[in-house]
Amino acid sequence: MSPLGICLVASEVAPFAKTGGLADVAGALPRYLSRRGHDVRVFLPLYSSVALAPGDHHPVDFLTDLELSMGERRVRFSVITARLAGSELFVYAIDCPELYHRSSIYGADDDHLRFAFLTRAAIECCQRMGWAPDVFHCNDWHTALLPLYLRTVYRWDHLFERSRTLLTIHNIAYQGVFPRSVLPEVSLDGDAHRFDRSDLDAGVVNFLKTGLLYADLLSTVSPTYALEIRSGELGMGLQELLRQRSESLVGILNGVDYSEWNPETDEFLPAHYSADDLSGKRANKEALLDELGLAPAPEAPLLGIVSRLTPQKGFELLYDVLPQVLAERDVRLVVLGSGAPDYEGFFGSLQGSFPERVCFYRGFSEELAHRIEASSDIFLMPSRFEPCGLNQMYSLRYGTIPVVHRTGGLADSVRQWDWERQTGTGFLFENFDATGLRWALGSALATYDNRDAWRRLVANAMASDFSWERQVDRYIDVYRRLSGRAD
Ligand code: ADP
């Protein structure tokens, strides 16, 4: 089959810049596409936080000191190309200090401009490369204006006549809604009529909705989430539009990069282990409890959480349940994350009440995330909604049993443990309430107490396979469907 040309544009790409699952996908998918021989070119902002490995990056001569007009404003930028770790692929980082040298990736007053600029800069680079991708793959609201730009600002350029657009929704809760007065700044002043009428009447524009209107094809990151976002409140106001575009919406579960998330090789672990020999898992647990200053607990289960602490993640379900469980039995709890003050306050006070048994590590740490995955026995993800979720899939590979709400990608990746048949990989509760969570966690702990059942459950979990090796084919199918190139 002939190679496809894919231009992937994203606001975060691991390992260069990451706040969540989008970065993992934008870092892994291109690697797997390029291994299959496709021509994939990835564009992201060069934030000041990006650490480029010496010798592994260089400027691109013909993409240096360029100028791009965003409305009245002239913005200058250059492109640095940098090797994506674990591959021979080089990404294109848009170097524009005035827009990207900020204290954090998101949350600036001019985010509309910063990401509209990224979108346009990617298109302009393709022009200068004389490259017409088969598919422009945009991701979330940040780059969702790309399909509209191709129909407006770049309509004159026949280079892109045959290029098609795919917009992937990683989380519909973030839509990029701005006052309509930003339109001149993003070079779309003359195209206001192409935005949603009711939004304009309300004085706003919605970047994600605009992408949903103009992208040739839409995808989201799990089959269940693809159903949920068009059927009810999880569509966050966009369900009607998604129902209209049902034929053009596909759900593809994210993959896992097992070269990074594998207990047999994980560089962040003090001890490696496999399904055949779990002794390393115990060693990791001992080491982690020691590292975090918790009391040793060879027999007690360790519960783990690694998450952005946002209301989406549903941690209020733990408010009553965890203190009760901690009071009733000997367990350990390690939580890594930061965000909403309510959640931080809860985990902080839990640590205060049980200092020997609970550790709340407030922050972001890739290493600690790996060590928690490897050391824990049970992983808690009570998400109210979860487009895909990666940590439950990482957990499975590490033999760490997920306790999850049956929603989105959690429903698509965790199978209910059935004691009779000895099948399943975790515990799912149906309704988003504390009773459901209490039941699921209680079932997990009861199973933990039975050595044989637990051993079997862990073996089932570790045999799960969500590798990109497989999932990449689903994207290739979509790209081919879009480009009309079955060859
Ligand atoms: P979301 O995209 O909603 O944040 P996902 O489960 O899809 O949720 O992806 C989260 C990713 O971010 C995972 O790779 C997870 O390990 C990582 N992550 C989240 N919070 C932290 C943290 N505090 N420290 C390290 N990694 C984190």
Side-chain angles (χ1 to χ4, degrees), residues 18-22 24 171 254 261 306-308 312-313 336-338 363-366 369 381 386 388-392 394:
K18 168 168 167 176
T19 69
L22 163 60
D24 289 318
N171 192 335
N254 287 337
W261 293 94
V306 177
S307 185
R308 291 182 303 120
Q312 169 199 340
K313 303 294 180 180
L336 167 63
S338 63
F364 190 96
S365 163
E366 193 71 31
M381 266 179 105
E386 193 59 77
C388 176
L390 290 167
N391 281 107
Q392 83 283 7
Y394 301 154

PDB file of all heavy atoms in Angstrom, residues 18-22 24 171 254 261 306-308 312-313 336-338 363-366 369 381 386 388-392 394, ligand 1:
ATOM      1  N   LYS A  18       3.338  18.090  28.061  1.00  0.00           N
ATOM      2  CA  LYS A  18       2.239  17.194  28.421  1.00  0.00           C
ATOM      3  C   LYS A  18       1.487  17.694  29.637  1.00  0.00           C
ATOM      4  O   LYS A  18       2.093  18.044  30.644  1.00  0.00           O
ATOM      5  CB  LYS A  18       2.808  15.804  28.711  1.00  0.00           C
ATOM      6  CG  LYS A  18       1.811  14.851  29.365  1.00  0.00           C
ATOM      7  CD  LYS A  18       2.313  13.423  29.368  1.00  0.00           C
ATOM      8  CE  LYS A  18       1.469  12.556  30.298  1.00  0.00           C
ATOM      9  NZ  LYS A  18       1.843  11.148  30.276  1.00  0.00           N
ATOM     10  N   THR A  19       0.160  17.759  29.501  1.00  0.00           N
ATOM     11  CA  THR A  19      -0.659  17.926  30.708  1.00  0.00           C
ATOM     12  C   THR A  19      -1.604  16.749  30.864  1.00  0.00           C
ATOM     13  O   THR A  19      -2.135  16.520  31.944  1.00  0.00           O
ATOM     14  CB  THR A  19      -1.505  19.214  30.702  1.00  0.00           C
ATOM     15  OG1 THR A  19      -2.535  19.103  29.717  1.00  0.00           O
ATOM     16  CG2 THR A  19      -0.675  20.455  30.431  1.00  0.00           C
ATOM     17  N   GLY A  20      -1.865  15.996  29.794  1.00  0.00           N
ATOM     18  CA  GLY A  20      -2.809  14.878  29.902  1.00  0.00           C
ATOM     19  C   GLY A  20      -2.689  13.924  28.728  1.00  0.00           C
ATOM     20  O   GLY A  20      -1.669  13.902  28.016  1.00  0.00           O
ATOM     21  N   GLY A  21      -3.762  13.168  28.526  1.00  0.00           N
ATOM     22  CA  GLY A  21      -3.749  12.077  27.554  1.00  0.00           C
ATOM     23  C   GLY A  21      -3.526  12.511  26.114  1.00  0.00           C
ATOM     24  O   GLY A  21      -2.963  11.757  25.319  1.00  0.00           O
ATOM     25  N   LEU A  22      -3.958  13.735  25.764  1.00  0.00           N
ATOM     26  CA  LEU A  22      -3.737  14.221  24.399  1.00  0.00           C
ATOM     27  C   LEU A  22      -2.261  14.115  24.019  1.00  0.00           C
ATOM     28  O   LEU A  22      -1.910  13.688  22.914  1.00  0.00           O
ATOM     29  CB  LEU A  22      -4.224  15.678  24.285  1.00  0.00           C
ATOM     30  CG  LEU A  22      -3.739  16.487  23.084  1.00  0.00           C
ATOM     31  CD1 LEU A  22      -4.165  15.854  21.763  1.00  0.00           C
ATOM     32  CD2 LEU A  22      -4.276  17.929  23.161  1.00  0.00           C
ATOM     33  N   ASP A  24       0.011  12.090  25.182  1.00  0.00           N
ATOM     34  CA  ASP A  24       0.417  10.690  24.988  1.00  0.00           C
ATOM     35  C   ASP A  24       0.040  10.221  23.588  1.00  0.00           C
ATOM     36  O   ASP A  24       0.821   9.571  22.896  1.00  0.00           O
ATOM     37  CB  ASP A  24      -0.257   9.788  26.028  1.00  0.00           C
ATOM     38  CG  ASP A  24       0.307   9.995  27.425  1.00  0.00           C
ATOM     39  OD1 ASP A  24       1.526  10.118  27.553  1.00  0.00           O
ATOM     40  OD2 ASP A  24      -0.469  10.047  28.384  1.00  0.00           O
ATOM     41  N   ASN A 171     -11.470  15.501  24.557  1.00  0.00           N
ATOM     42  CA  ASN A 171     -12.320  15.799  25.713  1.00  0.00           C
ATOM     43  C   ASN A 171     -13.254  16.937  25.322  1.00  0.00           C
ATOM     44  O   ASN A 171     -12.811  18.064  25.126  1.00  0.00           O
ATOM     45  CB  ASN A 171     -11.461  16.194  26.910  1.00  0.00           C
ATOM     46  CG  ASN A 171     -12.285  16.234  28.190  1.00  0.00           C
ATOM     47  OD1 ASN A 171     -13.508  16.419  28.136  1.00  0.00           O
ATOM     48  ND2 ASN A 171     -11.631  16.048  29.316  1.00  0.00           N
ATOM     49  N   ASN A 254      -7.760   4.866  22.424  1.00  0.00           N
ATOM     50  CA  ASN A 254      -6.328   5.163  22.391  1.00  0.00           C
ATOM     51  C   ASN A 254      -5.526   3.898  22.611  1.00  0.00           C
ATOM     52  O   ASN A 254      -5.983   2.957  23.263  1.00  0.00           O
ATOM     53  CB  ASN A 254      -5.962   6.146  23.500  1.00  0.00           C
ATOM     54  CG  ASN A 254      -6.447   7.548  23.209  1.00  0.00           C
ATOM     55  OD1 ASN A 254      -6.670   7.907  22.052  1.00  0.00           O
ATOM     56  ND2 ASN A 254      -6.612   8.342  24.253  1.00  0.00           N
ATOM     57  N   TRP A 261       5.436   1.919  28.819  1.00  0.00           N
ATOM     58  CA  TRP A 261       4.643   1.442  29.960  1.00  0.00           C
ATOM     59  C   TRP A 261       4.685  -0.073  29.985  1.00  0.00           C
ATOM     60  O   TRP A 261       3.780  -0.736  29.493  1.00  0.00           O
ATOM     61  CB  TRP A 261       3.206   1.961  29.867  1.00  0.00           C
ATOM     62  CG  TRP A 261       3.110   3.441  30.023  1.00  0.00           C
ATOM     63  CD1 TRP A 261       3.092   4.374  29.041  1.00  0.00           C
ATOM     64  CD2 TRP A 261       3.023   4.176  31.258  1.00  0.00           C
ATOM     65  NE1 TRP A 261       2.995   5.642  29.563  1.00  0.00           N
ATOM     66  CE2 TRP A 261       2.951   5.547  30.921  1.00  0.00           C
ATOM     67  CE3 TRP A 261       2.991   3.810  32.612  1.00  0.00           C
ATOM     68  CZ2 TRP A 261       2.858   6.549  31.911  1.00  0.00           C
ATOM     69  CZ3 TRP A 261       2.895   4.810  33.569  1.00  0.00           C
ATOM     70  CH2 TRP A 261       2.830   6.155  33.222  1.00  0.00           C
ATOM     71  N   VAL A 306      -3.401   8.385  40.072  1.00  0.00           N
ATOM     72  CA  VAL A 306      -2.563   9.341  39.324  1.00  0.00           C
ATOM     73  C   VAL A 306      -3.525  10.081  38.416  1.00  0.00           C
ATOM     74  O   VAL A 306      -4.160   9.473  37.553  1.00  0.00           O
ATOM     75  CB  VAL A 306      -1.518   8.628  38.443  1.00  0.00           C
ATOM     76  CG1 VAL A 306      -0.722   9.649  37.628  1.00  0.00           C
ATOM     77  CG2 VAL A 306      -0.597   7.755  39.275  1.00  0.00           C
ATOM     78  N   SER A 307      -3.667  11.384  38.617  1.00  0.00           N
ATOM     79  CA  SER A 307      -4.704  12.058  37.839  1.00  0.00           C
ATOM     80  C   SER A 307      -4.585  13.571  37.893  1.00  0.00           C
ATOM     81  O   SER A 307      -4.070  14.125  38.864  1.00  0.00           O
ATOM     82  CB  SER A 307      -6.075  11.679  38.416  1.00  0.00           C
ATOM     83  OG  SER A 307      -7.120  12.201  37.644  1.00  0.00           O
ATOM     84  N   ARG A 308      -5.074  14.219  36.842  1.00  0.00           N
ATOM     85  CA  ARG A 308      -5.390  15.635  36.995  1.00  0.00           C
ATOM     86  C   ARG A 308      -6.539  15.675  37.993  1.00  0.00           C
ATOM     87  O   ARG A 308      -7.444  14.841  37.937  1.00  0.00           O
ATOM     88  CB  ARG A 308      -5.875  16.231  35.665  1.00  0.00           C
ATOM     89  CG  ARG A 308      -4.801  16.346  34.606  1.00  0.00           C
ATOM     90  CD  ARG A 308      -5.323  16.986  33.322  1.00  0.00           C
ATOM     91  NE  ARG A 308      -6.459  16.267  32.764  1.00  0.00           N
ATOM     92  CZ  ARG A 308      -7.668  16.785  32.569  1.00  0.00           C
ATOM     93  NH1 ARG A 308      -7.914  18.033  32.884  1.00  0.00           N
ATOM     94  NH2 ARG A 308      -8.646  16.058  32.055  1.00  0.00           N
ATOM     95  N   GLN A 312     -14.140  16.418  36.543  1.00  0.00           N
ATOM     96  CA  GLN A 312     -14.404  15.273  35.661  1.00  0.00           C
ATOM     97  C   GLN A 312     -14.036  13.946  36.323  1.00  0.00           C
ATOM     98  O   GLN A 312     -14.648  12.914  36.071  1.00  0.00           O
ATOM     99  CB  GLN A 312     -13.583  15.450  34.371  1.00  0.00           C
ATOM    100  CG  GLN A 312     -13.552  14.226  33.481  1.00  0.00           C
ATOM    101  CD  GLN A 312     -12.394  14.237  32.484  1.00  0.00           C
ATOM    102  OE1 GLN A 312     -11.834  15.290  32.193  1.00  0.00           O
ATOM    103  NE2 GLN A 312     -12.033  13.091  31.962  1.00  0.00           N
ATOM    104  N   LYS A 313     -13.019  13.967  37.166  1.00  0.00           N
ATOM    105  CA  LYS A 313     -12.448  12.721  37.661  1.00  0.00           C
ATOM    106  C   LYS A 313     -13.238  12.095  38.813  1.00  0.00           C
ATOM    107  O   LYS A 313     -12.921  10.999  39.264  1.00  0.00           O
ATOM    108  CB  LYS A 313     -10.977  12.930  38.053  1.00  0.00           C
ATOM    109  CG  LYS A 313     -10.117  13.476  36.889  1.00  0.00           C
ATOM    110  CD  LYS A 313      -9.992  12.472  35.741  1.00  0.00           C
ATOM    111  CE  LYS A 313      -9.153  13.017  34.588  1.00  0.00           C
ATOM    112  NZ  LYS A 313      -9.022  12.064  33.479  1.00  0.00           N
ATOM    113  N   LEU A 336      -1.223  10.958  43.399  1.00  0.00           N
ATOM    114  CA  LEU A 336      -0.365  11.918  42.683  1.00  0.00           C
ATOM    115  C   LEU A 336      -1.263  12.772  41.800  1.00  0.00           C
ATOM    116  O   LEU A 336      -2.017  12.248  40.976  1.00  0.00           O
ATOM    117  CB  LEU A 336       0.640  11.159  41.803  1.00  0.00           C
ATOM    118  CG  LEU A 336       1.404  11.995  40.765  1.00  0.00           C
ATOM    119  CD1 LEU A 336       2.286  13.055  41.428  1.00  0.00           C
ATOM    120  CD2 LEU A 336       2.255  11.084  39.869  1.00  0.00           C
ATOM    121  N   GLY A 337      -1.190  14.088  41.972  1.00  0.00           N
ATOM    122  CA  GLY A 337      -1.977  14.964  41.106  1.00  0.00           C
ATOM    123  C   GLY A 337      -2.106  16.340  41.709  1.00  0.00           C
ATOM    124  O   GLY A 337      -1.703  16.577  42.853  1.00  0.00           O
ATOM    125  N   SER A 338      -2.661  17.245  40.935  1.00  0.00           N
ATOM    126  CA  SER A 338      -2.933  18.579  41.463  1.00  0.00           C
ATOM    127  C   SER A 338      -4.080  19.166  40.667  1.00  0.00           C
ATOM    128  O   SER A 338      -4.414  18.677  39.592  1.00  0.00           O
ATOM    129  CB  SER A 338      -1.695  19.472  41.354  1.00  0.00           C
ATOM    130  OG  SER A 338      -1.359  19.638  40.002  1.00  0.00           O
ATOM    131  N   GLY A 363       1.397  17.482  42.639  1.00  0.00           N
ATOM    132  CA  GLY A 363       2.276  17.907  41.558  1.00  0.00           C
ATOM    133  C   GLY A 363       2.198  16.960  40.386  1.00  0.00           C
ATOM    134  O   GLY A 363       1.276  16.146  40.283  1.00  0.00           O
ATOM    135  N   PHE A 364       3.171  17.102  39.498  1.00  0.00           N
ATOM    136  CA  PHE A 364       3.217  16.275  38.295  1.00  0.00           C
ATOM    137  C   PHE A 364       4.576  15.589  38.271  1.00  0.00           C
ATOM    138  O   PHE A 364       5.607  16.245  38.374  1.00  0.00           O
ATOM    139  CB  PHE A 364       3.051  17.173  37.051  1.00  0.00           C
ATOM    140  CG  PHE A 364       2.836  16.399  35.784  1.00  0.00           C
ATOM    141  CD1 PHE A 364       1.548  16.170  35.307  1.00  0.00           C
ATOM    142  CD2 PHE A 364       3.908  15.896  35.063  1.00  0.00           C
ATOM    143  CE1 PHE A 364       1.330  15.443  34.144  1.00  0.00           C
ATOM    144  CE2 PHE A 364       3.700  15.168  33.898  1.00  0.00           C
ATOM    145  CZ  PHE A 364       2.406  14.945  33.438  1.00  0.00           C
ATOM    146  N   SER A 365       4.593  14.290  38.181  1.00  0.00           N
ATOM    147  CA  SER A 365       5.871  13.584  38.128  1.00  0.00           C
ATOM    148  C   SER A 365       5.720  12.304  37.314  1.00  0.00           C
ATOM    149  O   SER A 365       5.017  11.376  37.710  1.00  0.00           O
ATOM    150  CB  SER A 365       6.348  13.233  39.549  1.00  0.00           C
ATOM    151  OG  SER A 365       7.349  12.233  39.477  1.00  0.00           O
ATOM    152  N   GLU A 366       6.369  12.313  36.177  1.00  0.00           N
ATOM    153  CA  GLU A 366       6.314  11.146  35.282  1.00  0.00           C
ATOM    154  C   GLU A 366       6.862   9.904  36.001  1.00  0.00           C
ATOM    155  O   GLU A 366       6.256   8.838  35.963  1.00  0.00           O
ATOM    156  CB  GLU A 366       7.151  11.472  34.029  1.00  0.00           C
ATOM    157  CG  GLU A 366       6.972  10.536  32.869  1.00  0.00           C
ATOM    158  CD  GLU A 366       5.618  10.662  32.159  1.00  0.00           C
ATOM    159  OE1 GLU A 366       5.032  11.755  32.113  1.00  0.00           O
ATOM    160  OE2 GLU A 366       5.153   9.638  31.666  1.00  0.00           O
ATOM    161  N   ALA A 369       4.531   8.611  38.644  1.00  0.00           N
ATOM    162  CA  ALA A 369       3.356   7.991  38.008  1.00  0.00           C
ATOM    163  C   ALA A 369       3.671   6.536  37.661  1.00  0.00           C
ATOM    164  O   ALA A 369       2.879   5.628  37.920  1.00  0.00           O
ATOM    165  CB  ALA A 369       2.961   8.776  36.757  1.00  0.00           C
ATOM    166  N   MET A 381     -10.229   4.989  39.669  1.00  0.00           N
ATOM    167  CA  MET A 381     -10.618   5.970  38.637  1.00  0.00           C
ATOM    168  C   MET A 381     -12.140   6.082  38.604  1.00  0.00           C
ATOM    169  O   MET A 381     -12.795   5.510  37.739  1.00  0.00           O
ATOM    170  CB  MET A 381     -10.117   5.513  37.264  1.00  0.00           C
ATOM    171  CG  MET A 381      -8.782   6.090  36.874  1.00  0.00           C
ATOM    172  SD  MET A 381      -8.225   5.501  35.274  1.00  0.00           S
ATOM    173  CE  MET A 381      -8.511   6.921  34.230  1.00  0.00           C
ATOM    174  N   GLU A 386     -15.157   9.848  31.136  1.00  0.00           N
ATOM    175  CA  GLU A 386     -13.752   9.613  30.786  1.00  0.00           C
ATOM    176  C   GLU A 386     -13.681   9.284  29.290  1.00  0.00           C
ATOM    177  O   GLU A 386     -14.014   8.173  28.879  1.00  0.00           O
ATOM    178  CB  GLU A 386     -13.199   8.448  31.616  1.00  0.00           C
ATOM    179  CG  GLU A 386     -11.702   8.306  31.586  1.00  0.00           C
ATOM    180  CD  GLU A 386     -10.976   9.544  32.089  1.00  0.00           C
ATOM    181  OE1 GLU A 386     -10.900   9.772  33.307  1.00  0.00           O
ATOM    182  OE2 GLU A 386     -10.497  10.301  31.217  1.00  0.00           O
ATOM    183  N   CYS A 388     -11.345   8.534  27.163  1.00  0.00           N
ATOM    184  CA  CYS A 388     -10.647   7.250  26.987  1.00  0.00           C
ATOM    185  C   CYS A 388     -10.068   6.826  28.320  1.00  0.00           C
ATOM    186  O   CYS A 388     -10.440   5.825  28.889  1.00  0.00           O
ATOM    187  CB  CYS A 388      -9.537   7.352  25.931  1.00  0.00           C
ATOM    188  SG  CYS A 388      -8.622   5.798  25.818  1.00  0.00           S
ATOM    189  N   GLY A 389      -9.170   7.665  28.831  1.00  0.00           N
ATOM    190  CA  GLY A 389      -8.456   7.279  30.048  1.00  0.00           C
ATOM    191  C   GLY A 389      -7.300   6.385  29.645  1.00  0.00           C
ATOM    192  O   GLY A 389      -7.461   5.446  28.853  1.00  0.00           O
ATOM    193  N   LEU A 390      -6.150   6.704  30.158  1.00  0.00           N
ATOM    194  CA  LEU A 390      -4.977   5.878  29.845  1.00  0.00           C
ATOM    195  C   LEU A 390      -4.521   5.102  31.062  1.00  0.00           C
ATOM    196  O   LEU A 390      -4.073   3.962  30.969  1.00  0.00           O
ATOM    197  CB  LEU A 390      -3.838   6.780  29.356  1.00  0.00           C
ATOM    198  CG  LEU A 390      -4.076   7.405  27.976  1.00  0.00           C
ATOM    199  CD1 LEU A 390      -3.070   8.504  27.703  1.00  0.00           C
ATOM    200  CD2 LEU A 390      -4.016   6.341  26.896  1.00  0.00           C
ATOM    201  N   ASN A 391      -4.688   5.722  32.236  1.00  0.00           N
ATOM    202  CA  ASN A 391      -4.113   5.089  33.417  1.00  0.00           C
ATOM    203  C   ASN A 391      -4.709   3.722  33.738  1.00  0.00           C
ATOM    204  O   ASN A 391      -4.006   2.850  34.233  1.00  0.00           O
ATOM    205  CB  ASN A 391      -4.229   6.021  34.626  1.00  0.00           C
ATOM    206  CG  ASN A 391      -3.155   7.075  34.582  1.00  0.00           C
ATOM    207  OD1 ASN A 391      -3.400   8.224  34.305  1.00  0.00           O
ATOM    208  ND2 ASN A 391      -1.922   6.632  34.807  1.00  0.00           N
ATOM    209  N   GLN A 392      -5.989   3.534  33.411  1.00  0.00           N
ATOM    210  CA  GLN A 392      -6.543   2.194  33.674  1.00  0.00           C
ATOM    211  C   GLN A 392      -5.883   1.162  32.759  1.00  0.00           C
ATOM    212  O   GLN A 392      -5.701   0.004  33.159  1.00  0.00           O
ATOM    213  CB  GLN A 392      -8.076   2.203  33.522  1.00  0.00           C
ATOM    214  CG  GLN A 392      -8.622   2.070  32.122  1.00  0.00           C
ATOM    215  CD  GLN A 392      -8.519   3.383  31.327  1.00  0.00           C
ATOM    216  OE1 GLN A 392      -7.928   4.351  31.779  1.00  0.00           O
ATOM    217  NE2 GLN A 392      -9.082   3.405  30.140  1.00  0.00           N
ATOM    218  N   TYR A 394      -2.739   1.453  31.541  1.00  0.00           N
ATOM    219  CA  TYR A 394      -1.386   1.256  32.094  1.00  0.00           C
ATOM    220  C   TYR A 394      -1.482   0.303  33.288  1.00  0.00           C
ATOM    221  O   TYR A 394      -0.690  -0.631  33.430  1.00  0.00           O
ATOM    222  CB  TYR A 394      -0.768   2.573  32.576  1.00  0.00           C
ATOM    223  CG  TYR A 394      -0.625   3.664  31.538  1.00  0.00           C
ATOM    224  CD1 TYR A 394      -0.592   5.008  31.911  1.00  0.00           C
ATOM    225  CD2 TYR A 394      -0.507   3.362  30.182  1.00  0.00           C
ATOM    226  CE1 TYR A 394      -0.455   6.021  30.982  1.00  0.00           C
ATOM    227  CE2 TYR A 394      -0.374   4.374  29.251  1.00  0.00           C
ATOM    228  CZ  TYR A 394      -0.349   5.702  29.654  1.00  0.00           C
ATOM    229  OH  TYR A 394      -0.217   6.705  28.738  1.00  0.00           O
TER     230      TYR A 394
HETATM  231  P1  ADP B   1      -6.637  13.126  30.968  1.00  0.00           P
HETATM  232  O1  ADP B   1      -6.214  13.276  29.544  1.00  0.00           O
HETATM  233  O2  ADP B   1      -8.066  13.468  31.237  1.00  0.00           O
HETATM  234  O3  ADP B   1      -5.719  13.837  31.917  1.00  0.00           O
HETATM  235  P2  ADP B   1      -5.832  10.341  30.679  1.00  0.00           P
HETATM  236  O4  ADP B   1      -5.987   9.177  31.608  1.00  0.00           O
HETATM  237  O5  ADP B   1      -6.300  10.157  29.278  1.00  0.00           O
HETATM  238  O6  ADP B   1      -6.543  11.574  31.368  1.00  0.00           O
HETATM  239  O7  ADP B   1      -4.303  10.717  30.585  1.00  0.00           O
HETATM  240  C1  ADP B   1      -3.613  11.206  31.676  1.00  0.00           C
HETATM  241  C2  ADP B   1      -2.133  11.106  31.410  1.00  0.00           C
HETATM  242  O8  ADP B   1      -1.469  12.081  32.188  1.00  0.00           O
HETATM  243  C3  ADP B   1      -1.559   9.779  31.812  1.00  0.00           C
HETATM  244  O9  ADP B   1      -0.404   9.499  31.049  1.00  0.00           O
HETATM  245  C4  ADP B   1      -1.179  10.033  33.275  1.00  0.00           C
HETATM  246  O10 ADP B   1      -0.183   9.159  33.744  1.00  0.00           O
HETATM  247  C5  ADP B   1      -0.690  11.441  33.195  1.00  0.00           C
HETATM  248  N1  ADP B   1      -0.823  12.206  34.442  1.00  0.00           N
HETATM  249  C6  ADP B   1      -1.932  12.783  34.953  1.00  0.00           C
HETATM  250  N2  ADP B   1      -1.649  13.436  36.092  1.00  0.00           N
HETATM  251  C7  ADP B   1      -0.333  13.239  36.316  1.00  0.00           C
HETATM  252  C8  ADP B   1       0.569  13.665  37.353  1.00  0.00           C
HETATM  253  N3  ADP B   1       0.164  14.403  38.360  1.00  0.00           N
HETATM  254  N4  ADP B   1       1.865  13.297  37.243  1.00  0.00           N
HETATM  255  C9  ADP B   1       2.289  12.529  36.204  1.00  0.00           C
HETATM  256  N5  ADP B   1       1.488  12.103  35.205  1.00  0.00           N
HETATM  257  C10 ADP B   1       0.195  12.457  35.258  1.00  0.00           C
END
